Amino acid sequence: MARPLEPNRRRSFSDPLAAALMPPPNESAADRERRLEAESEAKRVSDGIDEMLRAEKKEKRTKPEIKVLILGQSESGKSTTLKQFQLMHATAAFHADRIAWRAVIYLNLVRSVRRILDAVSPESDEAEDQETVSGRAISFTSQSSVISATRVLKYPQYRHALEPLRELEERLIRMLSSPNEDEPTHTAPRPDWSIYANGNSNTQVTVGKNGRPAPFITIPPFTDILPTFALNEPPFSWWNVEVSVHHTSNWKKAFSLGNRIKSPKSAHTNEIEGWWDDPSDPVHVLNSCAQPMLALWKDPSVKQRLREKRIRVEEGSGFFLDEISRITALRYFPSDQDVLKARLKTTGVVEHSFSIADSQRRLIPWKIYDVGGARNQRHAWAPYFEDVNAIIFLAPISAFDQVLLEDPEVNRLEDSVLLWKSVVSNKLLAHVSIILFLNKVDLLQAKLKSGVRLSHHMPRYGDRPNDYENVSSYFYNKFGSIHQTFSSNKEREFKIHLTSVTDTRRTATIIQNVRDIIITVNLKNIHLM
């Protein structure tokens, strides 16, 4: 039987903490004074910490910070959505960076042209014949197209005239890719393009204006940047290797406006000296190849051969073939729309901070995280789930007839559906607002109009009309029902938008609505704290 506590028993006998805090039995007056001073100091520190926590909580209530996570598979439009936020809420910084995107836009254009050249080459037809005979799967063509292949009679001329683009592509990739760099800092007044032109990848130091060595980006050999099959293996393999930069890379600095323009040329003229005066700048190669590129893209036999192979280069990110004359001009300056369309894969998590006004014109700090969408990068998502306020999830619904680059056996849209299901059912995100962008509706409209049938790739669609209204409604309801069925919190703030995030005007309206929803929900949550 348990012994009952004595009514007048001193707490120190039953409380181990109190016993530990009791003064020593033989404590002197001096020791007691020191102990009391230490206890007073400890209490002062403790009270200070408590006050800091209360102040932090109060500040959070008066100055709430909003964190938004942008999720979706690779090439779903995440980076473009982030660029739209930048264009709306950090306009000056966005415009200051535009010139730095010139090299990326050049690379996008060059890779598109080279992809077409490989697609229409006689060598690619021979390779397809061998694959058809051996029974190997061909993801972008059919046996009938191999048998009745349209021949591009001017292919030898195109190949010869556009041969300089092969070396230019290597130079541009070397300029943008530096996997071993920690913080590239190119401080020379203007990049020495001849370093890239002659392949001297060991040159690392230039001399700055102050006479001291200026640090330079370390450029690895080209074979370290791309796998060896990029240029030596059969056609259609090299362009599957996407150029990427790490999120810590400062690649824009080397291409910024300050490093490109001097003014004036001399004391006797007000004419500006820029990259167009540098004979080793890539623009001169592009400018000299402009006419052959235009001829290739407008050639009816080329268009027909691409249709036979079911290659739609206009659907890919970084499509600039309709802008060849403008982009290859010597004094080409990228526009806002060019930057939004430009494609440069970023690895790692990219964080951008903004201050956005609420309905009462109070500035609220926002942090938006753009994370990699490829399968091998999705493990980086989880650490950001804990304190995020909202998620913008992008699903490219035009990709119903495409496969993942990292796994050609998986349909891209089916992958988006599974990814969406895993996000909405995640219990860590139960109280997070979710905004779904069913993206690339412009490409969906064009694809359906060209005769591509959804039911051929998603049999469950059945014999419903193959028009945009019905197909977009089908996807709207499909993704919405997944949230309703599997969501860990069906009462959360949840919105669906049909989007084309490269369309600045429409996207600006959507982002305003999204911004207002997120701010309102966040303020409600703060008042409940």
Side-chain angles (χ1 to χ4, degrees):
M1 180 176 177
R3 181 182 176 183
L5 291 174
E6 298 176 13
N8 296 325
R9 188 182 181 191
R10 292 182 62 185
R11 179 179 168 153
S12 58
F13 292 151
S14 59
D15 188 342
L17 180 60
L21 294 176
M22 286 183 64
N26 300 322
E27 184 179 37
S28 66
D31 290 340
R32 182 175 183 276
E33 185 177 353
R34 283 193 294 269
R35 176 176 60 81
L36 292 176
E37 287 180 359
E39 289 178 358
S40 177
E41 176 63 18
K43 186 177 185 306
R44 188 188 65 79
V45 172
S46 178
D47 291 344
I49 293 173
D50 291 340
E51 181 61 30
M52 286 176 58
L53 292 174
R54 284 192 293 268
E56 184 179 321
K57 187 175 182 179
K58 183 179 180 180
E59 184 180 6
K60 192 171 183 181
R61 293 185 60 150
T62 57
K63 292 184 177 180
E65 182 181 66
I66 293 177
K67 295 182 179 180
V68 179
L69 193 58
I70 304 180
L71 300 180
Q73 65 183 202
S74 183
E75 288 197 71
S76 58
K78 298 188 302 301
S79 296
T80 306
T81 301
L82 179 57
K83 291 176 191 174
Q84 290 282 17
F85 269 97
Q86 291 175 284
L87 181 58
M88 289 182 64
H89 300 292
T91 309
F94 183 90
H95 287 163
D97 281 345
R98 280 192 309 189
I99 197 65
W101 285 89
R102 189 170 62 99
V104 178
I105 293 166
Y106 287 164
L107 180 61
N108 290 164
L109 177 60
V110 168
R111 285 176 70 86
S112 293
V113 171
R114 290 208 52 224
R115 181 182 181 184
I116 293 174
L117 278 174
D118 279 1
V120 303
S121 68
E123 292 85 358
S124 70
D125 293 334
E126 294 173 5
E128 288 174 11
D129 288 333
Q130 294 175 0
E131 289 184 344
T132 304
V133 171
S134 63
R136 291 174 59 186
I138 303 175
S139 60
F140 37 71
T141 188
S142 62
Q143 293 188 17
S144 60
S145 68
V146 174
I147 295 172
S148 57
T150 298
R151 299 294 177 180
V152 178
L153 299 180
K154 292 184 178 180
Y155 172 78
Q157 294 96 304
Y158 292 143
R159 180 172 181 175
H160 176 74
L162 299 174
E163 183 63 25
L165 296 185
R166 177 187 292 268
E167 181 184 354
L168 178 59
E169 181 183 17
E170 297 177 15
R171 289 170 56 194
L172 291 170
I173 292 174
R174 279 201 300 271
M175 289 160 53
L176 292 168
S177 301
S178 187
N180 297 322
E181 75 188 35
D182 292 324
E183 184 181 359
T185 53
H186 182 78
T187 57
R190 185 173 63 195
D192 183 0
W193 296 94
S194 63
I195 293 174
Y196 303 103
N198 61 25
N200 183 8
S201 61
N202 294 321
T203 302
Q204 300 181 18
V205 179
T206 58
V207 177
K209 290 181 178 180
N210 57 9
R212 292 183 303 213
F216 194 80
I217 298 176
T218 300
I219 305 298
F222 183 64
T223 53
D224 292 342
I225 299 169
L226 285 181
T228 54
F229 64 74
L231 298 177
N232 301 326
E233 288 295 309
F236 302 109
S237 57
W238 66 269
W239 49 261
N240 277 330
V241 181
E242 191 171 11
V243 179
S244 63
V245 296
H246 193 264
H247 71 98
T248 59
S249 171
N250 196 12
W251 62 269
K252 291 180 183 177
K253 187 169 185 178
F255 307 111
S256 63
L257 191 63
N259 285 339
R260 307 311 245 243
I261 293 179
K262 295 179 181 178
S263 180
K265 277 186 177 181
S266 69
H268 307 290
T269 177
N270 289 325
E271 186 180 358
I272 294 175
E273 179 184 1
W275 62 81
W276 48 85
D277 294 306
D278 181 358
S280 61
D281 190 281
V283 70
H284 296 285
V285 176
L286 280 174
N287 185 263
S288 66
C289 292
Q291 290 306 314
M293 284 193 284
L294 279 167
L296 175 74
W297 179 233
K298 293 182 178 180
D299 190 323
S301 63
V302 171
K303 295 287 184 72
Q304 178 60 27
R305 190 67 189 114
L306 293 177
R307 282 193 293 268
E308 292 170 355
K309 294 195 171 203
R310 301 177 188 172
I311 295 177
R312 292 182 289 271
V313 290
E314 60 273 15
E315 290 186 15
S317 302
F319 174 72
F320 293 100
L321 288 170
D322 289 337
E323 308 285 343
I324 291 175
S325 297
R326 181 174 63 89
I327 290 175
T328 58
L330 293 179
R331 301 195 183 195
Y332 160 68
F333 284 79
S335 65
D336 290 349
Q337 194 64 26
D338 293 341
V339 175
L340 291 172
K341 289 168 57 179
R343 170 67 177 173
L344 180 63
K345 182 178 179 180
T346 305
T347 59
V349 179
V350 181
E351 175 188 326
H352 280 272
S353 299
F354 310 94
S355 291
I356 301 178
D358 63 7
S359 58
Q360 299 178 4
R361 297 188 177 181
R362 294 178 303 180
L363 289 178
I364 298 178
W366 282 52
K367 286 185 178 180
I368 302 182
Y369 302 94
D370 174 18
V371 296
R375 282 186 163 184
N376 62 353
Q377 297 185 58
R378 295 175 188 175
H379 65 278
W381 295 7
Y384 293 85
F385 287 174
E386 187 173 350
D387 60 348
V388 69
N389 299 95
I391 285 176
I392 298 176
F393 186 97
L394 288 101
I397 55 177
S398 65
F400 64 81
D401 62 340
Q402 300 172 6
V403 296
L404 292 178
L405 184 61
E406 58 265 42
D407 188 351
E409 300 299 320
V410 178
N411 180 280
R412 281 193 64 191
L413 189 55
E414 291 295 342
D415 178 70
S416 276
V417 169
L418 293 174
L419 196 54
W420 170 244
K421 180 179 175 181
S422 68
V423 168
V424 300
S425 61
N426 193 305
K427 293 182 179 180
L428 290 175
L429 304 173
H431 300 289
V432 174
S433 302
I434 295 185
I435 296 93
L436 172 64
F437 283 8
L438 298 178
N439 195 32
K440 303 194 177 183
V441 295
D442 54 334
L443 299 181
L444 176 66
Q445 287 177 300
K447 186 173 290 187
L448 297 174
K449 191 175 181 180
S450 70
V452 180
R453 299 196 63 81
L454 175 61
S455 59
H456 291 171
H457 304 275
M458 301 186 72
R460 290 186 180 181
Y461 185 71
D463 58 356
R464 279 170 274 195
N466 197 61
D467 58 65
Y468 172 73
E469 294 299 326
N470 283 278
V471 170
S472 60
S473 295
Y474 172 76
F475 287 134
Y476 190 102
N477 295 330
K478 183 180 181 69
F479 279 84
S481 64
I482 289 174
H483 180 270
Q484 184 63 27
T485 304
F486 298 100
S487 176
S488 55
N489 177 13
K490 296 178 177 57
E491 304 303 319
R492 81 167 107 221
E493 191 69 33
F494 170 56
K495 298 291 182 182
I496 304 178
H497 295 277
L498 294 166
T499 62
S500 171
V501 293
T502 56
D503 185 333
T504 300
R505 189 170 62 179
R506 287 181 58 189
T507 304
T509 302
I510 292 172
I511 286 179
Q512 284 180 338
N513 295 335
V514 168
R515 179 195 64 193
D516 294 342
I517 290 171
I518 293 174
I519 290 176
T520 302
V521 172
N522 190 53
L523 289 175
K524 287 180 181 178
N525 292 336
I526 288 171
H527 292 316
L528 294 174
M529 291 174 62

